[in-house]
Amino acid sequence: MKKSLGANLRRAALPLAILSAISNSAQAQIEEVVVTAQKRSENLQETPIAISALTSNDMEKRGILDYDDIVKSMPTLSQTPYPSSDLLILYMRGQGVSDPMQVTSDGSVGLYIDGLYISRPQGALFDLAGLERVEVLRGPQGTLYGRNTTGGAVNLITAKPTGEFGFKQSLSFGSRDYFRSLTTVDLPAIKDVAAKLTVLKRNQDGYVKNAGGADFGLNDQLGGRLALRWDASEDLTVDYSLETGTLESSPIYYQSTIDTGLYPGYITGEKPTGKTYRPMELKPSDSEFEGHGLTLTWEASDALTVKSLTGYRELRFDNYQNYAESFTIPTYVFDQIDNRQFSQELQFIGDIGNNFEYILGLYYFKESSDHFQNYFTDLTPVGAGVTDKDRDVTSVAKSQAIYSQVTWTPPVLDNRLELTLGARYTEDEREGTRDYLVNGTAIELNASNDQSFEQFDPSFTANFIWNDELSTYAKVSTGYKAGGSSEGGAPGDFVLSFDPEEVTTYELGLKSEWWDRRLRVNTALFYSEFTDMQLAFGSDAYDLSLIQSYNAGEATVKGAELSVILMPTPDLMLQFDYAYLDPKFDEVIATSGSIFDPAVNASSPYQVGDDIKQLFVLPYAPQDSVNLTADYTFWRSTSVEANATLNYSFQSKVYDSAPAGPAVPNRDFYSRPSYGLLDARIGFVFDLPRGDTATVALWGRNILDKEYRQHVIGTGGASVATPLGPAGFTFTAASWAEPATYGIDLVYQY
């Protein structure tokens, strides 16, 4: 058979392509990434901790715009939107907080901007404009970071003023009237002061249409950031930043997976819908924030750097949620949070000779929060009346700490061994008051609690540098999360509190580069032990919305993390990231005052003190998480470069609540099935005559239009029998994620 002309051309071109790839591969090297995770500028490969980093170039090519995008690109992180659309439930290595709305407790994963802690995740889905890079540190953080967190830390590092004129304008247009404008202006330095201004506007229509009010899933943002850098002297640099923003949004839409027959035309949640089954009253939610940061860096000597980090942040959050009939009865919730936080940190970074390096830090933090919630349910369709609950909580938290880390390189083994000892001492205080009204009647007024805690957390790391391309480390670290109280406890229970949660993590890690730095392989194995784990239980046999937290759990989490980057040619980069989790409850004790206590719930088959671990599972802990990225520059000329990026992320099945263990009937009503998402971007960069550039890029998110549940609430029952019914869940209130979106980016940079 005569071969086609195309087939002959392909055969002829193949050897040339192979020779070209081999020739080009000699020039290919994976980019070095400099991080400051240990308060010094270090190559990521030389930092003996579990850390991942994204540069601004990485984020632009992958379309990473906010925390949600960051989480999807990092398999070790797990997230779901809170019922509010601009608030994330964030977990790392199986550690997190399932209800971040409660201002009387702390999170397990710390969020930072330029090292300044952000205490509340409300408004966390604001666009992260103007970043230089993102660093994600996994495992307990305390001996290097101001706030003690047990799961890890996400640190955003902003691009600082350069002192030279620069301008960048990005415009994006896409599905559902998506629009994004990002303007960045770097101003020439005036004497010793440089300035940088960033202004953002972003909006998109909702993806579930509603004839009676705001659509579900809409987003409208406006924000800006001013950064100033003053080189006060050869030894002193002063950085100041002001950021402010407003975010108007609407919540995600829930559908019940059953049709009770009470509501004609109801659309069940077995499949996503693009519209509500009836007009629904829904106001847009609003977030407003303003943050100030002041960092002074003094190079006191060649062997000592002193830094002062001062932060102040205000947040106002008004959130409206209409659950409609997803719980079989109409349910509406309004939350209003006012938060003010201040932090001051001093760092002393230096070396004292004899191969010793050290970091010493002093930290102070204060947070004041007010949280008002109105919870309204209409029981008329099931033959009862209206329940209208008001909860008003004030919380004040203070934390102060001293921390240190010392690294010694002993004069043996050709100075290839590094031994690091860290320690932290923390004192925390927390006080709160609550008023509780039901149908306008005061059930509880000025209920209060006042707590204080102190904790010592050590860590130790041994790092061995085999050669310039290979190192291995062993690490043991401890962490603690302060105690608190439950906003959502039953009337009379606010005086109850819970103690700190503690974790000890053992970790082995390897960092390596091969094939003349064209292949990078990093991996970590870890084993975490939790004591006094803070768990939330129902505290009322009839009203399952009343939740109390207790120190009831002992758990272990085993896991493995792998990151592989291959760059066979200068034009092709392949990346594979994988995380494996094996969480297990070792013990959960039935506590007094919970629905497992027969004195509260006569239907409970358990006694106070019983081990009920079979009723629990660690939520938001997928067994397998994968991220695959292919970045290919398929065309280069003297003035044009064309690039294509594919990114695939996968997450296996998770449970969205702890009381959904293997012994709970119909536990899968509280689970989210596994899913995978494919994103794509193709961009063309044009070099213009004056040294400026223009970029045109086409992009798509979830281009296969995968239908998946982003958040579920198991309902119709509880993990234990109550007077309302037997144990287990009977249906799901499900929220489906937004469908595929497409768009175009237009960028000009000078």
Side-chain angles (χ1 to χ4, degrees):
M1 180 181 295
K2 187 176 180 179
K3 292 184 172 63
S4 68
L5 176 62
N8 286 324
L9 288 175
R10 286 193 294 272
R11 290 186 61 191
L14 182 60
L16 295 176
I18 294 174
L19 289 173
S20 175
I22 293 174
S23 175
N24 288 338
S25 68
Q27 307 168 25
Q29 282 194 330
I30 299 170
E31 178 187 7
E32 289 188 6
V33 178
V34 175
V35 297
T36 53
Q38 297 195 115
K39 309 308 178 188
R40 308 170 188 270
S41 295
E42 300 173 305
N43 187 327
L44 181 144
Q45 290 300 106
E46 298 173 356
T47 308
I49 57 179
I51 179 175
S52 301
L54 292 167
T55 65
S56 59
N57 187 51
D58 294 333
M59 291 184 281
E60 182 172 333
K61 288 184 176 180
R62 299 190 197 182
I64 295 174
L65 302 177
D66 52 34
Y67 275 117
D68 185 42
D69 295 332
I70 291 173
V71 173
K72 289 177 180 176
S73 70
M74 300 278 185
T76 190
L77 290 165
S78 178
Q79 62 81 31
T80 186
Y82 196 77
S84 159
S85 60
D86 65 350
L87 174 60
L88 279 181
I89 297 173
L90 182 61
Y91 275 66
M92 188 184 299
R93 287 185 170 180
Q95 301 171 58
V97 174
S98 60
D99 187 2
M101 194 70 79
Q102 300 209 25
V103 299
T104 52
S105 61
D106 294 327
S108 299
V109 180
L111 304 180
Y112 296 83
I113 294 182
D114 291 330
L116 299 172
Y117 179 64
I118 302 175
S119 62
R120 295 295 143 195
Q122 283 75 19
L125 288 185
F126 200 85
D127 197 301
L128 303 174
L131 295 184
E132 178 182 299
R133 68 181 181 278
V134 175
E135 299 178 5
V136 178
L137 291 78
R138 306 186 290 274
Q141 306 297 320
T143 61
L144 285 171
Y145 274 78
R147 200 77 167 105
N148 197 344
T149 51
T150 56
V154 180
N155 193 14
L156 312 178
I157 293 92
T158 62
K160 304 301 186 291
T162 64
E164 300 178 355
F165 178 76
F167 175 78
K168 184 175 183 180
Q169 175 65 55
S170 300
L171 294 173
S172 302
F173 306 89
S175 308
R176 304 199 321 272
D177 289 333
Y178 174 78
F179 173 75
R180 181 178 186 261
S181 171
L182 178 61
T183 306
T184 303
V185 181
D186 237 324
L187 298 175
I190 300 177
K191 293 188 177 180
D192 299 318
V193 179
K196 186 172 189 174
L197 178 65
T198 304
V199 179
L200 169 80
K201 172 64 177 175
R202 173 179 164 186
N203 57 264
Q204 188 170 28
D205 291 346
Y207 59 95
V208 178
K209 298 301 180 182
N210 173 25
D215 293 335
F216 287 83
L218 69 83
N219 187 290
D220 192 349
Q221 307 180 21
L222 177 64
R225 179 183 178 88
L226 172 65
L228 301 175
R229 167 162 285 190
W230 177 32
D231 292 319
S233 69
E234 291 185 0
D235 304 324
L236 178 63
T237 301
V238 180
D239 286 297
Y240 168 77
S241 65
L242 163 65
E243 58 178 8
T244 182
T246 61
L247 169 58
E248 183 178 278
S249 63
S250 62
I252 56 181
Y253 180 62
Y254 287 89
Q255 303 164 254
S256 172
T257 54
I258 63 168
D259 185 355
T260 62
L262 296 171
Y263 312 103
Y266 189 78
I267 302 173
T268 65
E270 296 300 334
K271 287 287 184 179
T273 181
K275 64 179 181 179
T276 62
Y277 87 99
R278 64 168 176 83
M280 295 183 180
E281 181 182 353
L282 183 66
K283 297 179 181 179
S285 301
D286 293 298
S287 298
E288 299 179 7
F289 70 88
E290 180 177 309
H292 301 261
L294 179 65
T295 300
L296 282 66
T297 304
W298 177 38
E299 302 292 344
S301 69
D302 292 339
L304 175 63
T305 299
V306 181
K307 295 184 73 173
S308 168
L309 293 86
T310 307
Y312 178 77
R313 191 176 185 89
E314 292 183 350
L315 168 73
R316 173 64 180 262
F317 176 75
D318 293 341
N319 178 67
Y320 298 88
Q321 172 66 60
N322 187 338
Y323 289 98
E325 290 73 48
S326 60
F327 298 155
T328 71
I329 54 175
T331 304
Y332 315 90
V333 180
F334 169 69
D335 287 281
Q336 183 179 85
I337 291 178
D338 287 288
N339 177 266
R340 300 154 301 281
Q341 65 170 86
F342 170 81
S343 63
Q344 175 62 54
E345 184 171 1
L346 290 176
Q347 299 174 355
F348 303 86
I349 307 163
D351 63 77
I352 53 176
N354 297 319
N355 297 331
F356 278 95
E357 294 182 342
Y358 69 88
I359 300 168
L360 174 66
L362 301 172
Y363 184 75
Y364 174 81
F365 172 81
K366 181 179 180 180
E367 174 190 26
S368 301
S369 302
D370 299 296
H371 181 195
F372 170 79
Q373 183 185 85
N374 174 253
Y375 189 94
F376 181 91
T377 56
D378 185 357
L379 300 171
T380 304
V382 293
V386 166
T387 300
D388 190 351
K389 298 188 292 186
D390 290 335
R391 190 176 77 206
D392 200 349
V393 175
T394 297
S395 174
V396 177
K398 297 178 183 178
S399 181
Q400 48 194 0
I402 179 171
Y403 61 89
S404 181
Q405 181 168 293
V406 178
T407 298
W408 176 42
T409 304
V412 296
L413 301 173
D414 296 326
N415 294 320
R416 290 183 292 170
L417 176 64
E418 297 176 344
L419 303 176
T420 301
L421 181 65
R424 176 192 182 94
Y425 174 74
T426 308
E427 292 182 350
D428 282 316
E429 299 177 21
R430 188 186 296 278
E431 59 185 44
T433 60
R434 185 179 75 171
D435 295 338
Y436 203 111
L437 286 76
V438 177
N439 293 336
T441 301
I443 305 299
E444 180 182 77
L445 291 177
N446 294 319
S448 64
N449 59 62
D450 191 349
Q451 307 157 77
S452 61
F453 318 99
E454 58 182 49
Q455 181 77 13
F456 176 75
D457 286 310
S459 68
F460 176 74
T461 304
N463 182 42
F464 190 76
I465 304 169
W466 299 88
N467 53 48
D468 291 342
E469 290 80 32
L470 175 65
S471 64
T472 54
Y473 68 87
K475 181 178 182 179
V476 57
S477 57
T478 60
Y480 124 112
K481 184 169 66 174
S485 58
S486 299
E487 285 193 46
D493 287 352
F494 190 69
V495 294
L496 303 177
S497 60
F498 50 87
D499 292 329
E501 173 183 293
E502 300 175 24
V503 61
T504 300
T505 297
Y506 306 90
E507 185 174 310
L508 297 175
L510 175 146
K511 297 196 172 186
S512 64
E513 291 181 328
W514 310 84
W515 195 23
D516 194 22
R517 231 178 74 207
R518 284 169 275 171
L519 174 64
R520 176 178 296 168
V521 180
N522 294 343
T523 187
L525 305 174
F526 67 90
Y527 180 87
S528 297
E529 295 180 334
F530 293 86
T531 57
D532 293 325
M533 178 174 275
Q534 298 165 4
L535 290 174
F537 299 163
S539 58
D540 189 281
Y542 294 92
D543 186 348
L544 300 182
S545 69
L546 298 176
I547 304 295
Q548 185 75 31
S549 293
Y550 306 86
N551 297 101
E554 309 280 337
T556 56
V557 180
K558 295 182 287 186
E561 297 155 351
L562 173 66
S563 178
V564 179
I565 301 177
L566 173 64
M567 198 169 184
T569 78
D571 297 328
L572 178 63
M573 189 276 290
L574 304 172
Q575 183 166 346
F576 169 75
D577 292 297
Y578 172 72
Y580 169 80
L581 285 178
D582 180 17
K584 182 183 69 173
F585 272 104
D586 302 313
E587 180 182 73
V588 177
I589 299 300
T591 55
S592 175
S594 70
I595 58 172
F596 306 104
D597 181 356
V600 172
N601 175 19
S603 300
S604 173
Y606 304 103
Q607 299 296 321
V608 173
D610 285 354
D611 186 354
I612 52 174
K613 64 182 180 183
Q614 71 277 9
L615 301 180
F616 288 83
V617 64
L618 275 177
Y620 306 105
Q623 176 178 288
D624 302 291
S625 300
V626 175
N627 191 270
L628 299 171
T629 302
D631 187 3
Y632 180 46
T633 300
F634 59 88
W635 177 265
R636 293 183 192 270
S637 70
T638 56
S639 60
V640 182
E641 179 179 297
N643 173 273
T645 303
L646 288 175
N647 192 82
Y648 176 78
S649 58
F650 170 84
Q651 185 180 90
S652 62
K653 175 180 176 180
V654 299
Y655 290 88
D656 280 4
S657 183
V664 177
N666 299 320
R667 67 191 295 235
D668 281 345
F669 282 124
Y670 231 135
S671 70
R672 283 186 291 144
S674 61
Y675 65 90
L677 302 177
L678 182 63
D679 299 339
R681 183 181 186 270
I682 181 169
F684 301 86
V685 181
F686 303 89
D687 291 329
L688 302 179
R690 296 182 302 174
D692 42 353
T693 62
T695 302
V696 179
L698 302 174
W699 51 264
R701 291 170 173 256
N702 186 17
I703 61 174
L704 301 180
D705 202 19
K706 174 68 175 178
E707 296 178 347
Y708 66 99
R709 293 175 177 177
Q710 59 184 337
H711 190 237
V712 297
I713 302 172
T715 190
S719 57
V720 64
T722 70
L724 299 178
F729 309 107
T730 56
F731 65 96
T732 300
S735 173
W736 292 85
E738 64 180 305
T741 57
Y742 301 92
I744 183 172
D745 293 339
L746 306 174
V747 183
Y748 173 79
Q749 184 170 5
Y750 177 77

